Amino acid sequence: MKKLFKILAIETSCDETAASVVGADQEGNPILLSNVVSSQIDLHAKTGGVVPEVASRAHMESIIPVITEALSEAKKQETRTENQTIDNKVIEQDLNSFLQEEIDYIAVTAGPGLIGSLLVGFNAGKTIAYALKKPVIPINHIEGHIYSAFINKSKKDIAFPIISLTVSGGHSSLTLMKDHGVYETIGETLDDAAGEAFDKVAQLLELGYPGGPIVSKLAQKFREKKTAESQNYKLKIENSSKGIVFPRPILNDGTFNFSFSGLKTAVLVQVKKMLIDGELTQDQNEEICAAFEDALVDVLVTKSLRAIEKYQPKNFVLAGGVAANGYLRKVLQEKITVRFPEVNFIIPEIRFCGDNAAMIAVAAFYHVIRGDIKAWNEIELDSNFRL
Ligand code: KG4
Ligand code: ZN
């Protein structure tokens, strides 16, 4: 079925080179036609974190192949829905005309992020827009994460106000969204982002990169062991003076802000204390990870619930790389269901939690709908772009 319009989106704000094509179906809803992500995780695992210069060079290498694959996948997807046979060779040859004739808008991440990384995708999109005389839509990366919750949803599924807890390697924020394009940041991190704290704790314990999934896995092991030991595990851990309990930074400061650098320091102090007896055992690592995850999740969940109480949103979105965290998802889901059953809690599919361009395309989709589009020479890159 012919799409009303199509958007090619490009995202390179940190360490994923990503491109996606989203179309508008006959009812005017977004439909995902392709979503290609080239991850640099292996590259950055060697250094235990993202080295900006290395990231931008890797974007340079991947950007054209990633855009080409996104166009190719989108064309195949359309051919499939039209019940035509797919001839890969014909599809590859026709990509230029697909880009010229069928893509109506170019969307680019315009910030926030690493400047050297942002520049690659931003300039690629701007150049396509200039050469092919296409309108362009600059998208805020956090806005993209919020829309990751609505990638495979119809526009009727979006009910305002929305509160989004966006937690990733670069950001931790609570955003109030009263309408498309109307944002208020009600809280944000004063220092480290939640994902950054996971990564730093993993680095401290020499567990590898990215830290989130590894720390979370060890924490889960600790909880499973404790549950097996005692049905009353929760009571025991939370009240036991023996168990490790890390501080909950600025939990009761009356704001919706976060601060995680003190938590990271508390982990360091604990590790040093334990190291006096020699190397950390697997059990000790697991216990530290669980206590760290407990503290971080407690702060995120408590402030989210207070924000819901104050702003009474219809939807609550959990987005960003850390939204892949099973424990955070579970605790937030349980608490919201019990205390605010009227609030619709939305978590994006795991593949849309980390950085991707489908979220940028869907955010751009709603800009197009309200006519908020620009020319190639009207857009600006801002590595500190605020919503
Ligand atoms: O959104 P994202 O891909 O990139 C940024 O915009 O930063 O997020 C990456 C971050 C990393 O810090 C990574 O450790 C964290 O998300 N992360 C997790 C999990 N999976 C990824 N943190 C906690 N638990 C996870 N399962
Ligand atoms: Zn991100």
Side-chain angles (χ1 to χ4, degrees):
M1 185 78 75
K2 182 100 182 100
K3 305 294 174 294
L4 298 177
F5 61 83
K6 290 194 200 82
I7 302 168
L8 165 68
I10 303 168
E11 149 70 42
T12 62
S13 67
C14 187
D15 59 346
E16 324 277 4
T17 318
S20 165
V21 177
V22 159
D25 68 12
Q26 293 298 311
E27 278 82 49
N29 288 312
I31 175 151
L32 183 62
L33 297 174
S34 69
N35 180 35
V36 178
V37 181
S38 166
S39 171
Q40 302 175 6
I41 280 185
D42 293 345
L43 207 58
H44 301 302
K46 292 179 198 150
T47 43
V50 179
V51 177
E53 165 94 15
V54 175
S56 42
R57 279 172 189 267
H59 284 308
M60 287 292 292
E61 278 173 24
S62 310
I63 189 75
I64 303 288
V66 165
I67 291 174
T68 308
E69 198 180 327
L71 291 169
S72 164
E73 270 307 309
K75 190 155 175 26
K76 279 184 204 160
Q77 181 67 22
E78 285 236 299
T79 315
R80 244 178 245 129
T81 50
E82 284 161 10
N83 279 334
Q84 292 176 31
T85 29
I86 296 173
D87 181 335
N88 280 337
K89 268 210 181 119
V90 173
I91 294 225
E92 298 304 329
Q93 282 162 7
D94 277 1
L95 277 189
N96 272 348
S97 59
F98 183 70
L99 175 59
Q100 286 191 37
E101 289 157 26
E102 301 221 18
I103 298 290
D104 302 281
Y105 304 95
I106 311 295
V108 286
T109 302
L114 300 171
I115 186 75
S117 290
L118 283 164
L119 270 167
V120 178
F122 185 84
N123 275 331
K126 190 169 160 176
T127 307
I128 297 173
Y130 165 74
L132 302 182
K133 300 187 175 61
K134 309 244 180 228
V136 58
I137 306 137
I139 297 294
N140 181 297
H141 182 76
I142 306 289
E143 178 181 22
H145 273 301
I146 298 173
Y147 276 99
S148 68
F150 303 109
I151 289 176
N152 278 326
K153 302 246 166 71
S154 91
K155 52 188 180 203
K156 285 196 211 108
D157 294 324
I158 308 182
F160 297 104
I162 294 170
I163 289 184
S164 174
L165 172 66
T166 310
V167 269
S168 71
H171 332 275
S172 298
S173 51
L174 272 165
T175 311
L176 174 66
M177 189 177 171
K178 290 192 179 146
D179 200 346
H180 292 292
V182 184
Y183 302 95
E184 185 189 336
T185 303
I186 55 175
E188 60 194 333
T189 183
L190 304 177
D191 40 58
D192 293 351
E196 193 180 355
F198 270 102
D199 294 337
K200 285 180 175 169
V201 166
Q203 204 174 21
L204 208 77
L205 300 175
E206 297 179 6
L207 298 173
Y209 174 86
I214 314 171
V215 169
S216 186
K217 210 168 152 190
L218 293 188
Q220 181 59 22
K221 273 194 183 162
F222 178 79
R223 290 188 196 104
E224 278 164 11
K225 280 186 200 163
K226 285 287 152 189
T227 313
E229 272 173 28
S230 156
Q231 290 299 329
N232 278 336
Y233 140 74
K234 260 200 155 177
L235 270 177
K236 267 175 93 181
I237 293 303
E238 281 167 12
N239 300 332
S240 160
S241 53
K242 273 194 228 148
I244 303 170
V245 180
F246 288 126
R248 272 63 172 155
I250 63 168
L251 186 63
N252 296 312
D253 67 339
T255 76
F256 296 109
N257 291 331
F258 307 107
S259 165
F260 296 119
S261 75
L263 181 53
K264 175 192 67 193
T265 311
V267 174
L268 177 65
V269 171
Q270 179 67 38
V271 169
K272 279 190 175 156
K273 225 193 278 174
M274 286 173 146
L275 276 175
I276 294 172
D277 303 326
E279 274 199 5
L280 288 188
T281 62
Q282 175 73 3
D283 281 351
Q284 284 175 318
N285 269 344
E286 287 171 7
E287 187 175 4
I288 291 174
C289 289
F292 162 76
E293 196 176 58
D294 280 350
L296 188 131
V297 166
D298 190 11
V299 175
L300 292 177
V301 170
T302 305
K303 294 230 168 179
S304 297
L305 295 174
R306 285 181 195 153
I308 294 177
E309 195 167 26
K310 177 162 179 189
Y311 294 102
Q312 313 267 305
K314 291 213 167 71
N315 288 338
F316 185 91
V317 169
L318 172 63
V322 183
N325 185 281
Y327 187 60
L328 173 61
R329 288 172 170 241
K330 182 171 161 278
V331 177
L332 205 46
Q333 174 88 66
E334 282 171 5
K335 303 256 179 189
I336 291 180
T337 310
V338 171
R339 284 194 50 197
F340 305 102
E342 69 287 1
V343 175
N344 185 23
F345 180 44
I346 310 174
I347 319 177
E349 285 175 45
I350 293 272
R351 67 188 171 124
F352 300 135
C353 285
D355 289 347
N356 65 85
M359 67 187 197
I360 302 299
V362 172
F365 176 94
Y366 289 97
H367 279 253
V368 171
I369 295 227
R370 57 181 195 274
D372 183 16
I373 56 174
K374 301 240 161 33
W376 67 271
N377 55 355
E378 290 173 332
I379 61 169
E380 271 176 34
L381 183 68
D382 179 359
S383 62
N384 295 313
F385 192 173
R386 289 185 64 83
L387 257 187

